[in-house]
Amino acid sequence: MLKSFTAAGLALAIAAGTAGFAVPAAAQDVELRIGPDGVRPVIRDDREMRGMRGHRCGQREARAAARDAGLRDPEIVRVTDRRVVVEGMTRRGPERITFANMRGCPEM
């Protein structure tokens, strides 16, 4: 009887020890954006984001992102090292959207 308890304890210790070394893979990031067109899932791959460090958000790209977010006639109002501010019109009136000044123009 003692031998079976010892074997079960040893098996449990081995199982608990190997479970602690398992590392989950984090290759993708999922983001849900809520806008005038409803809820959209945005999937970003970390491997793609690593190579984007030195690139900036271009004016054409920021205007296109603002149009996708629901702005009509978007205009770039301010550009800094960290952000790009775009103004435009929506159904409710004037609106302002801020994007991060990095490749892909993520919304802040």
Side-chain angles (χ1 to χ4, degrees):
M1 184 77 165
L2 183 62
K3 191 173 187 180
S4 63
F5 282 129
T6 306
L10 182 61
L12 183 63
I14 291 173
T18 57
F21 292 111
V23 179
Q28 289 185 343
D29 183 25
V30 177
E31 175 182 330
L32 293 176
R33 288 194 183 172
I34 301 172
D37 56 344
V39 179
R40 295 183 317 181
V42 178
I43 300 173
R44 287 184 279 155
D45 193 1
D46 288 341
R47 290 173 288 189
E48 292 176 8
M49 294 300 284
R50 285 186 204 133
M52 296 183 182
R53 289 195 181 118
H55 302 283
R56 298 287 184 182
C57 175
Q59 290 186 7
R60 186 180 302 166
E61 193 175 6
R63 283 191 195 111
R67 274 189 220 102
D68 289 344
L71 288 184
R72 292 181 305 221
D73 300 325
E75 265 185 55
I76 302 216
V77 178
R78 185 173 185 189
V79 178
T80 64
D81 288 341
R82 294 184 178 202
R83 61 186 180 162
V84 178
V85 180
V86 181
E87 286 184 351
M89 295 298 289
T90 62
R91 293 179 190 159
R92 289 178 243 144
E95 186 75 30
R96 178 181 286 186
I97 297 178
T98 305
F99 297 102
N101 196 357
M102 60 187 302
R103 188 173 182 188
C105 297
E107 194 172 337
M108 294 177 74

